[in-house]
């Protein structure tokens, strides 16, 4: 029962760590492991349960990296366990430059589907968010402040950890 009493302290500690993580936010360094051709990341939704049934596996592979005055851009492919393309809503291109991060389906980043994420903190752009914690940073989208009630899953996010690259995600961008 004493652990319940410690919870407010833990919440305060998590907030302090997240605050330091947000203050030290450096997207170029954070995304550096992803900005390497051939980098591969595999995800599954087993929840760490050995032998779990009906597990969806997704593999992200960086197939091309370009560097220019607009920033560094990684082009990714996303495939399921059978090798089928499941890019769907997952970002095909990620660009970083200075303190900015963009996701887009379009390599030119000028299409309507380009998303520019705010720095870590509270939502600042119609449902877009960037949450920093001690473990890493998650970029996502959810209902904006004036949105109607959501009947199902109403968010999507992709998470990156310092020195590790892509580490997970959840929501409507993901198959399964």
């Amino acid at each position: 029962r004493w652990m319940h009493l410690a919870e407010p302290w833990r919440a305060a500690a998590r907030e302090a760590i997240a605050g330091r993580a947000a203050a030290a936010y450096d997207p170029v360094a954070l995304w550096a492991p992803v900005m390497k051709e051939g980098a591969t990341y595999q995800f599954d939704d087993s929840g760490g349960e050995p032998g779990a049934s009906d597990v969806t596996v997704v593999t992200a592979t960086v197939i091309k990296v370009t560097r220019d005055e607009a920033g560094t851009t990684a082009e990714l492919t996303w495939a399921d366990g059978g090798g089928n393309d499941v890019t769907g809503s997952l970002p095909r291109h990620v660009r970083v430059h200075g303190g900015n991060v963009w996701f887009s389906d379009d390599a030119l980043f000028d299409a309507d589907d380009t998303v520019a994420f705010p720095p870590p903190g509270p939502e600042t752009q119609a449902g877009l968010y960037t949450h920093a914690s001690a473990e890493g940073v998650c970029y996502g989208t959810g209902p904006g402040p004036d949105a109607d009630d959501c009947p199902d899953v109403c968010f999507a996010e992709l998470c990156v950890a310092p020195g590790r690259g892509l580490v997970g995600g959840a929501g409507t961008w993901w198959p399964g």
Side-chain angles (χ1 to χ4, degrees):
R1 293 182 191 258
W2 67 267
M3 291 184 68
H4 295 289
L5 296 174
E7 190 56 35
W9 174 83
R10 287 183 181 171
R14 279 192 295 263
E15 286 180 23
I17 290 168
R20 285 193 300 273
Y25 180 64
D26 178 0
V28 173
L30 178 67
W31 284 88
V34 180
M35 299 299 168
K36 296 179 179 156
E37 287 184 25
T40 301
Y41 304 91
Q42 189 169 50
F43 311 93
D44 69 54
D45 60 357
S46 69
E49 295 179 32
S53 63
D54 196 28
V55 173
T56 301
V57 175
V58 176
T59 301
T61 304
V62 179
I63 60 171
K64 182 178 180 183
V65 175
T66 56
R67 291 172 173 79
D68 58 29
E69 65 278 351
T72 303
T73 304
E75 182 177 349
L76 299 106
T77 60
W78 300 84
D80 65 15
N84 302 304
D85 183 356
V86 293
T87 301
S89 297
L90 287 159
R92 184 168 299 277
H93 299 89
V94 176
R95 176 179 288 162
V96 294
H97 181 68
N100 301 303
V101 175
W102 299 268
F103 290 178
S104 182
D105 285 338
D106 178 18
L108 300 176
F109 285 82
D110 61 1
D112 292 337
D113 64 0
T114 297
V115 177
F117 287 94
E123 291 183 34
T124 59
Q125 302 172 327
L128 294 176
Y129 63 84
T130 304
H131 290 171
S133 72
E135 291 83 32
V137 177
C138 291
Y139 299 86
T141 182
D146 298 325
D148 292 334
D149 289 339
C150 181
D152 197 5
V153 178
C154 291
F155 76 97
E157 67 183 16
L158 180 62
C159 302
V160 183
R164 295 178 51 209
L166 301 175
V167 293
T172 57
W173 288 342
W174 295 83

